[in-house]
Amino acid sequence: MMKTFEEILVAYYLLYVLLLEPREMKKGNMTSIQTVLDHIIERTIQAFNSSEFNCGLYNVSEYLAGLAKLVANDKFLLYIISKDNIFDLFFQKFLEFNHLCTRNSNIESNDLHGLICSSLYTIFWSISFQSDYYLKLKNNDEFIQFIEQMSKTESNNEHIVTMRRAAKGILFNLDLVQTDLQPIDNNTEIDYDHVKVMISYAHKDTKLCQQLVNKLQNRVQGDIWVDFIKLKPPYEDDWEEIACAITQCDVILMIVTENYCTSKSCRREVIHADKRNKRIIPIYQGKEYQPEDWFEIRVGSATFVRFGDNKSDEIVMETLLNLIHATDKTKRSLNREKLHQTPTLTSQQQTIQSIVLHPILPVSPVLSPTRLISNPIIDTLTIQSVSHSSTPDIVPSLTLPSVNTKPIEQWTNVDLQQLLQLPSSILDLSSGQALLAYIRLLSNEDALFDEYETCMRHRGLSREQFANLIGSLISLRSLNNIEETSNLSPDQWTYEEIKCWFRQNRLSVYLFDTFTFVDGTEFLIYAKLVTESSIRMDAEYDRLRSRIQSRNNGQDIFQLDEYARFINALKKLLIRFQSSSSNTTQESAQCTIS
């Protein structure tokens, strides 16, 4: 009687696991599911040790199928492999059943062996996401040999398809596959006038994705890449093209649901995008949904949109479109800056070199693009390259000065002429101090317009040349670091003002390069999300440290003291913003009363 009850209980546990949906899996905690896990793990061990691979009424393949379902959740996975010797047992059986499956060069010869092996592949794919097991897996030649062999095996057998997909995922997680591939079309040139959008989603959410694509089509000024439009099924077997699409795109929309966070393929796409510092916009559904911890750590600081909240879908869609097209506005300057960065140079040298190599710079920290949008002089800052002028001898052709290590206020007239290479009839500044004063005088739209129309235009300078000159001089002034980042409220900051804020708070270039903020509003949202929770602060440190390490050949250069300085600066920034907002509200109220 007792034995019958135990078998019924095991049957109940296995059925419970197989029917468990991602939503319930996320809500589950270790206390409620620990009993289930313990029973299944114990039965798995006993089945592996039997001659027929059975324990009670069930085969080890049935127990493994349950475990393979549960390991999609990191909490459950870590609990399972923390059990005494369970990792070693799985590893031993993985090698053993790979030998059995590949014996006589016929992987499909035994369905039971294939079923067991496919579950083990799925489990080890989950394990390969865990950094603590990275070296254990990567340094075992026999394990890697089987993985590489399986990743190249062609078959329509369902077990082989599962194993091949898992093998490719494991190789990617262990950095054993080259994913920075040649473009799909080698003749494609970079299009600076349109944004390239890639949509990442779980295939269980295909209907949701199709609805989003229908809403975005004809409203996005660029190209939308989604697998059911660009590829032929089965889509997950085209990882190379998916990786290429991620590498080439400007922004990635991620439809983040329970299905997304439990999909290893989606997780692989997130990691690929994160390693390449891609701009990501998570899309959530419903008021209450929160993503898994691993997703939060990877891209939790990204600006997201949420459908099904208090706002209408059309308002949320407009916000999403604005975020996508904000990427388009900064695309040229970001791409060019990253292309010409030289990590070994000092911060001042890097900025001067960026001026020298590409004089067309982002809009300055002093001049907000929202205020200059109608200015015909500054509009030219957004063109792709300088138009050919009829007076090429006076184009500002900037050359790196030999005194670039001196503070700007100590530069002489000779230093400035060496940098600007303009005739004195165009611009004759006596010193670096004079340059700084000149830029201060041109710190608003009217002053810029007057300077061009009454002076520079008559000296033979085109609007494009004047815009480039002003952009270059303003960037030089930001190096001087003698003023606040901007008189504007932080929510009106541009990309360049955020960059200046990092520099003034003595924060490293590699930390700034970790982010892809478009404007001050995004930056403030990030600051609030990170600083309002000690748990989030801890997780964000781990996330930033991991990203910086992966971008610097594994060097652990992001230290806790810099992170503490970063958090402190974010808190001060929020206080500053709240104070400025309060003052604005009071002034508005006074104006209304009067």
Side-chain angles (χ1 to χ4, degrees):
M1 183 69 178
M2 183 63 69
K3 188 174 182 64
T4 302
F5 173 76
E6 185 177 349
E7 295 301 332
I8 294 174
L9 187 62
V10 171
Y12 167 77
Y13 287 153
L14 289 174
L15 186 61
Y16 167 74
V17 169
L18 293 176
L19 295 178
L20 197 61
E21 292 295 328
R23 185 186 301 271
E24 284 71 33
M25 192 181 299
K26 180 183 176 183
K27 292 179 180 178
N29 54 61
M30 294 313 302
T31 302
S32 62
I33 203 169
Q34 185 172 341
T35 303
V36 176
L37 286 171
D38 288 343
H39 267 79
I40 296 177
I41 292 170
E42 181 181 354
R43 289 283 182 125
T44 302
I45 296 172
Q46 293 177 14
F48 267 137
N49 291 330
S50 72
S51 58
E52 300 296 327
F53 301 116
N54 292 326
C55 179
L57 300 177
Y58 305 101
N59 183 267
V60 70
S61 61
E62 295 168 287
Y63 299 119
L64 285 173
L67 294 177
K69 173 80 176 290
L70 291 172
V71 294
N73 184 295
D74 281 358
K75 290 186 298 183
F76 301 158
L77 169 67
L78 294 175
Y79 179 80
I80 292 169
I81 58 181
S82 68
K83 289 288 194 177
D84 290 343
N85 301 320
I86 197 69
F87 174 83
D88 293 335
L89 175 64
F90 283 167
F91 202 90
Q92 172 192 340
K93 296 303 178 182
F94 178 89
L95 300 179
E96 178 182 324
F97 278 89
N98 266 279
H99 279 294
L100 291 173
C101 285
T102 56
R103 184 175 296 165
N104 299 323
S105 301
N106 186 3
I107 301 177
E108 303 176 23
S109 60
N110 188 306
D111 284 340
L112 178 58
H113 290 166
L115 181 59
I116 294 172
C117 213
S118 65
S119 293
L120 288 170
Y121 266 88
T122 301
I123 291 171
F124 274 97
W125 189 4
S126 292
I127 293 174
S128 69
F129 284 104
Q130 306 300 319
S131 57
D132 290 345
Y133 293 86
Y134 179 89
L135 292 178
K136 290 182 180 179
L137 300 180
K138 188 171 184 177
N139 291 341
N140 190 290
D141 293 338
E142 188 177 10
F143 176 82
I144 298 300
Q145 182 179 353
F146 281 128
I147 296 294
E148 290 179 338
Q149 178 182 349
M150 185 57 65
S151 70
K152 301 172 184 176
T153 301
E154 296 296 333
S155 173
N156 293 324
N157 178 278
E158 60 177 327
H159 302 320
I160 304 302
V161 171
T162 299
M163 288 188 279
R164 181 174 63 242
R165 184 181 303 128
K168 290 182 177 181
I170 293 169
L171 290 175
F172 171 76
N173 289 345
L174 300 182
D175 298 317
L176 294 174
V177 60
Q178 179 63 39
T179 50
D180 283 326
L181 305 171
Q182 291 297 317
I184 298 172
D185 181 358
N186 291 328
N187 296 320
T188 300
E189 295 182 357
I190 297 176
D191 184 355
Y192 289 105
D193 297 322
H194 295 90
V195 64
K196 294 181 180 179
V197 181
M198 192 264 190
I199 302 180
S200 174
Y201 70 104
H203 287 148
K204 290 183 179 179
D205 297 324
T206 297
K207 185 176 180 180
L208 196 62
C209 183
Q210 289 172 336
Q211 293 172 350
L212 177 66
V213 171
N214 291 337
K215 291 181 180 180
L216 290 176
Q217 284 178 329
N218 301 322
R219 300 182 71 181
V220 171
Q221 299 170 12
D223 180 55
I224 298 176
W225 195 104
V226 62
D227 57 9
F228 55 73
I229 293 178
K230 300 291 186 178
L231 304 177
K232 296 179 180 179
Y235 309 124
E236 290 183 346
D237 283 347
D238 290 319
W239 166 244
E240 289 80 4
E241 294 196 54
I242 294 173
C244 188
I246 293 172
T247 301
Q248 293 181 354
C249 75
D250 302 309
V251 59
I252 303 175
L253 310 185
M254 294 180 174
I255 303 178
V256 187
T257 64
E258 287 87 354
N259 294 323
Y260 191 89
C261 285
T262 55
S263 167
K264 297 181 182 65
S265 296
C266 293
R267 188 166 181 170
R268 181 171 61 177
E269 293 176 19
V270 172
I271 294 173
H272 189 75
D274 182 46
K275 285 183 177 180
R276 280 142 193 83
N277 204 23
K278 287 295 178 178
R279 178 160 160 69
I280 294 170
I281 304 176
I283 299 174
Y284 301 142
Q285 298 288 325
K287 298 179 181 180
E288 305 298 329
Y289 177 73
Q290 294 297 327
E292 298 286 352
D293 291 343
W294 70 261
F295 185 85
E296 283 276 273
I297 291 172
R298 281 283 178 181
V299 296
S301 60
T303 304
F304 61 86
V305 297
R306 186 184 294 274
F307 287 94
D309 204 342
N310 296 326
K311 299 178 181 178
S312 69
D313 284 357
E314 188 56 36
I315 292 176
V316 178
M317 180 58 63
E318 287 301 321
T319 301
L320 177 59
L321 289 167
N322 288 335
L323 287 172
I324 293 172
H325 292 137
T327 302
D328 193 25
K329 293 175 184 177
T330 59
K331 178 180 174 183
R332 283 180 288 275
S333 59
L334 287 173
N335 283 347
R336 290 175 181 270
E337 182 168 348
K338 290 179 181 178
L339 180 64
H340 295 297
Q341 280 181 347
T342 306
T344 58
L345 297 180
T346 65
S347 174
Q348 182 168 332
Q349 288 172 324
Q350 284 180 355
T351 304
I352 295 176
Q353 185 187 61
S354 70
I355 296 170
V356 174
L357 293 175
H358 47 99
I360 300 180
L361 296 172
V363 178
S364 78
V366 181
L367 307 172
S368 170
T370 58
R371 297 191 298 167
L372 298 178
I373 193 71
S374 60
N375 191 322
I377 299 176
I378 304 302
D379 280 348
T380 57
L381 281 170
T382 59
I383 64 174
Q384 181 174 347
S385 59
V386 180
S387 302
H388 292 290
S389 172
S390 59
T391 56
D393 56 315
I394 58 172
V395 175
S397 177
L398 304 179
T399 302
L400 189 67
S402 59
V403 293
N404 63 77
T405 56
K406 290 196 304 186
I408 294 176
E409 63 268 25
Q410 295 180 17
W411 287 7
T412 66
N413 173 269
V414 175
D415 298 329
L416 290 172
Q417 292 301 325
Q418 181 184 355
L419 173 69
L420 301 175
Q421 294 199 351
L422 285 173
S424 57
S425 59
I426 298 293
L427 186 65
D428 187 15
L429 297 170
S430 62
S431 65
Q433 290 282 14
L435 179 147
L436 296 171
Y438 180 72
I439 294 301
R440 291 192 194 98
L441 291 172
L442 301 179
S443 59
N444 63 72
E445 182 179 345
D446 292 338
L448 278 170
F449 185 84
D450 290 342
E451 175 68 3
Y452 178 75
E453 291 296 332
T454 63
C455 184
M456 289 299 179
R457 184 165 66 88
H458 300 292
R459 295 179 183 178
L461 213 62
S462 70
R463 284 175 172 167
E464 289 88 349
Q465 294 161 0
F466 182 62
N468 287 314
L469 173 63
I470 294 301
S472 300
L473 295 183
I474 288 172
S475 291
L476 279 175
R477 196 209 63 168
S478 71
L479 281 178
N480 191 58
N481 198 24
I482 62 171
E483 294 187 0
E484 288 292 324
T485 308
S486 171
N487 293 325
L488 295 174
S489 175
D491 62 325
Q492 299 179 37
W493 283 1
T494 65
Y495 168 83
E496 275 296 298
E497 288 165 313
I498 297 171
K499 185 175 183 179
C500 188
W501 180 88
F502 272 78
R503 186 164 53 244
Q504 290 184 336
N505 284 284
R506 298 180 294 112
L507 298 169
S508 58
V509 174
Y510 55 73
L511 176 60
F512 174 77
D513 288 342
T514 306
F515 301 102
T516 55
F517 298 119
V518 169
D519 55 34
T521 301
E522 285 193 10
F523 190 35
L524 286 170
I525 292 173
Y526 169 81
K528 184 177 180 182
L529 288 173
V530 171
T531 59
E532 68 183 3
S533 165
S534 59
I535 296 175
R536 179 68 66 84
M537 276 193 279
D538 292 343
E540 182 64 0
Y541 173 67
D542 292 335
R543 185 185 77 90
L544 291 174
R545 185 179 179 186
S546 174
R547 294 184 71 177
I548 292 170
Q549 192 170 356
S550 68
R551 288 167 172 77
N552 290 272
N553 299 320
Q555 297 181 58
D556 191 8
I557 56 178
F558 185 55
Q559 301 302 317
L560 195 56
D561 58 342
E562 181 177 8
Y563 184 62
R565 187 164 64 251
F566 178 51
I567 292 297
N568 187 47
L570 288 177
K571 290 180 177 179
K572 290 180 179 178
L573 178 68
L574 288 172
I575 293 173
R576 172 183 170 182
F577 172 66
Q578 292 165 0
S579 175
S580 64
S581 299
S582 176
N583 292 336
T584 302
T585 302
Q586 291 177 6
E587 291 174 3
S588 176
Q590 291 172 358
C591 291
T592 303
I593 293 172
S594 60

